[in-house]
Amino acid sequence: STTNPLRPSALTDTRRCRRRRRHTCAHEAVEQKQHEIDLDAKDCELQELQERYDELNLLRTRELDAKHRELQELHGRHDALRKAWVRMHEDNIAKDRACTEKDRQLAGMEKKLAETKASEEMANMMVGPLETMRFVMKQEILNIQDLVLKAGVSKKRKRESDDFQAPFYYSLGGNASKQGDLPWDSEEDRVMTPSEAVACCIEQQPSR
């Protein structure tokens, strides 16, 4: 059967539907308002989180900058220490080379000193025999001088002076006047050597 809208039950239903719609709209408005409030709260919370993040990020950036500067200072100190070590190492190498060179020079000087000492000892050993030999040979030459002069070889009396020095192998007699006879080559006007005086003496002897 068809419901009559003018009946009391129909009017009640209409009112109920209107009230229900009003209630639904109010509920939706409340929910919308609550949703907006929640969104605003979340926006505030996000803004606070963003500000805290920015603060933390700023602090982190400052810490990183400080650590970066500290690392740069450490690198600078390390480079300075490395350069100082390299210079010290080079100085030690130069000192070692200088010490090695000095040791080599010292060894050479010690070797030369030993050689000089050995030569000196040898010279001391030879001085005595050589001096004896020189004395004997000097005496033989003086004997030859005396013999050739007695044999009548050409001679000349000379005086020791600044203008004349008798050969070391002859003697002027050993007197205070420092003068005596020497075998003389009249043609060349000079003192004869012992060998020349002996040869001249042999030539002057009559042949047998």
Side-chain angles (χ1 to χ4, degrees), residues 5-167:
L6 297 176
R7 291 185 336 177
S9 60
L11 292 173
T12 303
D13 291 339
T14 302
R15 290 190 188 96
R16 288 177 179 173
C17 288
R18 288 177 181 174
R19 284 197 298 270
R20 193 179 293 117
R21 283 197 296 268
R22 287 196 298 271
H23 178 75
T24 301
C25 290
H27 182 70
E28 289 177 353
V30 170
E31 288 183 350
Q32 181 67 28
K33 188 66 176 178
Q34 186 65 37
H35 181 68
E36 291 177 357
I37 292 172
D38 292 340
L39 288 177
D40 291 340
K42 289 183 179 180
D43 288 340
C44 291
E45 185 178 355
L46 286 175
Q47 186 175 1
E48 291 178 357
L49 290 174
Q50 182 66 37
E51 290 177 354
R52 290 180 62 188
Y53 174 78
D54 292 339
E55 291 177 357
L56 291 175
N57 191 27
L58 180 61
L59 291 175
R60 182 63 178 172
T61 302
R62 290 176 179 175
E63 289 178 358
L64 290 175
D65 291 339
K67 290 185 178 296
H68 181 68
R69 288 192 297 270
E70 185 178 356
L71 285 174
Q72 286 182 339
E73 291 178 358
L74 289 175
H75 282 304
R77 293 177 184 176
H78 178 266
D79 292 338
L81 289 174
R82 184 178 61 81
K83 291 179 181 179
W85 182 87
V86 169
R87 288 194 299 269
M88 183 176 66
H89 184 64
E90 291 176 351
D91 292 340
N92 289 333
I93 292 176
K95 289 179 181 178
D96 290 340
R97 290 178 179 174
C99 290
T100 302
E101 181 64 21
K102 288 183 179 179
D103 291 341
R104 188 184 65 80
Q105 293 177 358
L106 182 60
M109 292 176 65
E110 289 178 351
K111 183 179 179 181
K112 290 182 180 179
L113 181 61
E115 292 176 352
T116 303
K117 187 175 181 180
S119 300
E120 183 180 359
E121 291 176 354
M122 184 176 293
N124 291 333
M125 291 174 62
M126 294 176 63
V127 163
L130 288 175
E131 185 64 21
T132 302
M133 187 181 298
R134 186 193 68 80
F135 178 77
V136 172
M137 291 180 66
K138 176 69 174 180
Q139 193 61 41
E140 292 294 334
I141 295 295
L142 293 177
N143 292 336
I144 291 173
Q145 178 185 357
D146 185 58
L147 290 174
V148 296
L149 290 174
K150 289 180 178 180
V153 74
S154 177
K155 63 182 178 180
K156 188 173 184 180
R157 182 169 289 274
K158 297 293 292 182
R159 180 190 296 273
E160 190 89 14
S161 64
D162 294 337
D163 296 332
F164 177 79
Q165 295 290 329

